[in-house]
Amino acid sequence: MPRKPPPKKRSAALEKYHAKRDFTKTSEPVTGKASDDKRLFVVQEHHARSHHFDFRLEMDGTLASWAVPKGIPEDTEAKRLAVHVEDHPIDYADFEGEIPKGNYGAGHVAIWDKGSWEPLDRNWRKAYEKGKFEFTLNGDRLSGAYVLVRMKEEPNWLMRKIEKDHLPLPDLEKETPAFVSPQLAKVVPSVPSGKEWLHEIKLDGYRLIAVRKKGTVHLFTRTGLDWTDRFPRVAENLVKLKGGDFILDGEAVVYDNKGRTSFGALQEALKTPNKNDIVFVAFDILHSDGTNLRPLPLVERLKHLAKRIPSETGDIRVSKTWPGADGPSLFKEAVKLGLEGIISKKANGRYYEGLRRDWMKSKSRPRQEFVICGFSPPKNSCPAFGALVLGSFDGGKLIPRGKVGTGFSDEKRHELLKRMKKLGTKEQPFPFPEKHITWIEPTLVAEIEFAELTSDGSIRQGSFISLREDKAAGDVHLDAIQKATTDADDLTVMNITISHPERVVFPDDGITKLEVARFYERVGELMLPYVRNRPLAIIRAPDGIGGQVFFQKSFKAHVPDHVHTKTLDDGTEIFFVKDVKGIISLAQFGMVEIHPWGAAFPNLDKPDQLIWDLDPDSAVPWKEILGAAFLLRDFLAKRGLETVVKTSGGKGLHVILPLKRVHEWEVMKPFSKAVASAIAEYNPKRFIVTASKQKRTGKIYIDWLRNGKGATCVVPWGLRGRATAPVSTPVNWADLAEVVQTGFHINEPFSLPEDWKNTKPQSVTKTCLKEFLK
């Protein structure tokens, strides 16, 4: 609850902080005591008038603070403006919640990272005063060395992550050994190289977390299932290791006669009584003798691991590592030997439990898990079944990914059929072109190798490898990057080089710049009729949607390839594209969203469409939004005007009226407003046509302002710069009732709905105009 500050004298260092706040109206902390043993740091994501991150370091009893608009740098290439603001009390490090409107910094505050920091210079206070201050961070997300450099004058500083040898090691805490959610690797388009990396061969087995406590070993899958009874010999061998308690991260594998790990061979070995062929390969140690080692840099953890397991051979062995410069050559050798790929890890990175941070996977061939959703009847000589129908969970729903009918032995087919029959269901998870499919509960996970993904996201030339019982079906998502290269300059889309292809655009979903470009390639031909030869506005997110975002309507310099510019008669500078390559070039330039005008060349004064954007308040149920769209459709249909509909990629829907280029904007804009007003009159408590947010509570705003010269709206099949990477997707009116409010997302297959195939430009009759424009 908001409270009054204590009447006692406050710290002089906090005078500016207190002067800016009324503590009877905000629940922000007033004071706070210094932490006992560590220097505290915190990063808070702040959804204020301008979204930014607040970076705070504990110094002399307060939190020195900087506002970082583009987010804290997480690699050495990034440079971030950091605006020095007033000191905050120590207790602010625990503050999360809403700063009420009308107060300084109004908006939501959430802790993004927290931990401890250490200066790199003994005379760090003097260095700080001079304006160049180096330090290390040890947090849940951030670790390593950083520098803050004052620019010409306060309050602007520059923040960078830097490479430093022999960094001071973080303080380690005592703990009881228990299961730890394993760190995960992110699939990348090009092999990392440089001295900051270490590389390993990607193993083909079961990932296991081995916990030894008081002489007893338990083996856990990556989801926390206890599989000790499946690997009894591995557990016995781990019990024999010297020393006390530990937590190891590794993989249970079987090597073939060429020294390659084989998941199929592992599956067969698990069926044998003694399981003698199974080897445990450890690649990390997370705990040793009662001490949590996860905050240590990887190179230090590997030293601890070598004391426990010194050998790269034997039933319990340590994984071999290669230095950073060897990454490209190691990957080429992995491809040559038919291995799955390599794993690259930041040498100075801490262990991030359950996160895809600092570990990268370079795949040598397309291979990943899919959910088994059903099976087709047997054909010809195939026993048991013909093919498995596959899917993946993307955007919160099951998406079809095609079929796989090879890679099975007869014995495996019968085993699978027996398991699938027990999971039969009448519920079909997604539309599918074939009949006579037996659908099953989507719980079984299969690993599939394939040649490539088709344009609609289905696998081609797939081959079954095995079931994966260590991964939950709900965790199966499509890897958009299927195969890595050793040279980032080789990464092109439609012959356009994508710079920084690994840069993450959607941080919550791990979607990269390369994936965005490939998405626009995939939907480009569908989208082209709605962007070709018409002025465009784009939303750019060069550092991802969590960083600074730009709304751009023109190019004054550095025009991307295949993008054309023009100066209109009134002096307006615009740009446009003529083909899909132009769209890809804009994606290379950092475009996330594309918004075309409602009119095309040669006559920008005469629209070829009208759009009504049904934009609901968050309290409005989805059924009401659907009802509003149908009401608007039927209202116009009674006047001989046929519309199409698409999701907005947000909370609402867009109803679109294709037009013949007959009337100018000065006629059609008032017409669009009059239609919106007529709909609103049906139920003024439900609809509103004014843009005032204060009056929109509990209502649907019928936004007619998308119509007018220079006004824009997100393009059909256009990506939105929001979490989950939603797509503004055309649908059939007949299918609209089945659409959920979360809509469609980047990894789904897209096609042209029948309603949109059959659209014909229409003229608004004089009679209709007279009805509304009196």
Side-chain angles (χ1 to χ4, degrees), residues 510-522:
I511 295 169
T512 64
K513 181 180 177 182
L514 178 64
E515 292 170 69
V516 170
R518 286 179 173 168
F519 164 78
Y520 277 116
E521 177 190 32
R522 184 156 55 94

Side-chain angles (χ1 to χ4, degrees), residues 81-153:
L81 172 67
V83 181
H84 200 184
V85 297
E86 74 277 6
D87 290 355
H88 283 52
I90 295 295
D91 284 359
Y92 211 99
D94 296 319
F95 177 69
E96 288 189 292
E98 201 75 24
I99 301 174
K101 290 181 180 179
N103 288 268
Y104 176 74
H108 187 73
V109 176
I111 294 174
W112 186 84
D113 196 19
K114 194 174 183 181
S116 61
W117 72 275
E118 291 293 332
L120 288 176
D121 189 337
R122 287 184 180 180
N123 297 318
W124 66 269
R125 285 181 175 84
K126 187 174 291 186
Y128 176 57
E129 289 173 4
K130 289 182 177 179
K132 186 175 181 181
F133 171 47
E134 295 183 348
F135 54 93
T136 62
L137 298 179
N138 178 37
D140 293 328
R141 293 190 177 200
L142 301 174
S143 66
Y146 285 80
V147 64
L148 275 165
V149 181
R150 187 188 297 122
M151 298 170 74
K152 288 184 178 181
E153 57 184 28

Side-chain angles (χ1 to χ4, degrees), residues 17-56:
Y17 173 82
H18 291 129
K20 292 182 176 184
R21 290 162 177 83
D22 182 347
F23 294 100
T24 65
K25 296 179 180 178
T26 176
S27 59
E28 294 167 277
V30 180
T31 59
K33 294 182 179 180
S35 53
D36 296 331
D37 55 348
K38 293 183 179 180
R39 294 181 175 94
L40 177 72
F41 92 86
V42 66
V43 178
Q44 288 157 314
E45 187 171 8
H46 194 168
H47 293 272
R49 181 177 58 183
S50 177
H51 174 264
H52 64 277
F53 291 81
D54 292 314
F55 177 67
R56 313 190 195 280

Side-chain angles (χ1 to χ4, degrees), residues 489-499 514 517-518 521 561-562 580-582 584-585 588:
D489 291 337
D490 290 341
L491 289 168
T492 64
V493 177
M494 298 188 74
N495 294 321
I496 296 168
T497 299
I498 306 300
S499 62
L514 178 64
R518 286 179 173 168
E521 177 190 32
D561 292 341
H562 311 289
V580 177
K581 281 191 172 184
I584 304 303
S585 282
Q588 152 58 19

